[in-house]
Amino acid sequence: MSDVIKDLSELRLSYEQGELHEAQISDHPHLQFLNWFNHALAAHLHEPYTMSLATANAQGRPHVRTVLLRGATEAGYDFYTNYDSQKGIDLAENPFAELLFYWPSLERQVRISGQVIKISEHESTEYYLKRPRDSQIAAHISTPQSGRIASREELQQRFYDLQQQVGEHGELTKPDFWGGYRLIADYYEFWQGRPNRLHDRLSYEKQDGQWVIQRLMP
């Protein structure tokens, strides 16, 4: 097998699924997001609630990963994780982050930026108790998240041991090191692919408490 990537310059598509005009969008970016998100749900896309989460530590080194959107209101966009994960460490040092939703079959993407806060213990507990039981167990044993482990077998043994300890109906409480975050948006960008790379890009930026819409160069 060759260790050289072939020339990729000819691998390209023409984006022709839709358009994005100022006259067609909502004055409020969250409503515009819900419009596109509900369209993605109705199209039965594979996990349209997945999003890339970009954080950076105090030194400015970025980290990006895929997480699941678990709440979307005008107040913000929620996801859950281990507070001791790289995400949690970054957000403790630098509380700003960005989300990216990409729906390739619709030729659309949405960027949402802002400050991230922890959600309340009550909300985190409420969500934790709604999770499938095995996911509750996984939250307990997968710590420290991103920490090194000797083998897959060790991870599976930890899971099995706790599974046997609590049984089918034993109570599991939310771990103290696990919970939710909420990104409070101050910037949105909606991207619609167009032919000839003349893509539509519209941004919403908060200025003096008002959302200002601007068209961006592709």
Side-chain angles (χ1 to χ4, degrees), residues 5 22 26 90 93 97 104 113 126 128-129 144 165 172 216:
I5 297 177
E22 288 83 344
S26 172
D90 283 356
E93 296 178 352
S113 302
E126 190 174 53
Y128 176 82
L129 295 176
Q165 179 183 331
L172 274 168
L216 307 177

Side-chain angles (χ1 to χ4, degrees), residues 1-216:
M1 181 181 293
S2 172
D3 61 355
V4 178
I5 297 177
K6 67 177 182 178
D7 181 8
L8 303 179
S9 61
E10 298 304 316
L11 298 180
R12 64 183 72 243
L13 296 173
S14 178
Y15 299 116
E16 300 180 0
Q17 290 291 322
E19 303 174 345
L20 183 61
H21 294 295
E22 288 83 344
Q24 300 171 336
I25 62 174
S26 172
D27 291 337
H28 196 289
H30 179 64
L31 297 180
Q32 180 61 31
F33 172 80
L34 291 181
N35 180 15
W36 273 21
F37 184 74
N38 287 329
H39 188 182
L41 288 174
H44 302 292
L45 303 188
H46 179 67
E47 294 189 316
Y49 43 83
T50 59
M51 56 189 186
S52 298
L53 168 67
T55 59
N57 62 19
Q59 291 72 45
R61 188 180 182 97
H63 302 98
V64 65
R65 74 290 284 167
T66 301
V67 298
L68 302 180
L69 178 69
R70 285 302 183 228
T73 67
E74 193 172 335
Y77 301 85
D78 298 350
F79 59 94
Y80 292 82
T81 190
N82 188 311
Y83 293 143
D84 298 326
S85 65
Q86 186 64 60
K87 299 182 283 296
I89 294 169
D90 283 356
L91 292 170
E93 296 178 352
N94 174 5
F96 293 92
E98 183 160 298
L99 308 175
L100 174 68
F101 295 85
Y102 179 47
W103 302 307
S105 64
L106 300 178
E107 298 173 356
R108 288 175 172 174
Q109 72 176 19
V110 183
R111 293 171 53 204
I112 308 177
S113 302
Q115 186 170 357
V116 179
I117 62 171
K118 283 184 179 179
I119 69 173
S120 71
E121 275 292 300
H122 173 75
E123 289 175 282
S124 290
T125 298
E126 190 174 53
Y127 173 74
Y128 176 82
L129 295 176
K130 291 179 181 177
R131 301 181 91 205
R133 187 164 184 79
D134 285 350
S135 295
Q136 294 178 355
I137 292 172
H140 273 272
I141 62 99
S142 301
T143 189
Q145 190 177 38
S146 304
R148 295 179 180 178
I149 192 167
S151 66
R152 171 77 186 183
E153 290 71 25
E154 181 182 339
L155 179 65
Q156 290 175 321
Q157 189 62 49
R158 287 189 187 185
F159 182 89
Y160 176 78
D161 289 345
L162 184 55
Q163 196 177 49
Q164 294 302 302
Q165 179 183 331
V166 299
E168 187 176 350
H169 302 292
E171 184 179 358
L172 274 168
T173 58
K174 183 188 76 66
D176 291 339
F177 52 78
W178 189 95
Y181 289 94
R182 176 169 297 146
L183 184 142
I184 302 170
D186 58 20
Y187 180 86
Y188 294 74
E189 182 187 308
F190 294 85
W191 178 95
Q192 176 71 62
R194 296 294 301 276
N196 304 314
R197 297 301 187 266
L198 299 179
H199 308 307
D200 287 326
R201 292 174 62 195
L202 296 179
S203 71
Y204 293 74
E205 190 165 8
K206 211 157 202 183
Q207 298 179 10
D208 299 324
Q210 301 294 320
W211 289 106
V212 177
I213 301 173
Q214 294 181 314
R215 177 168 288 270
L216 307 177

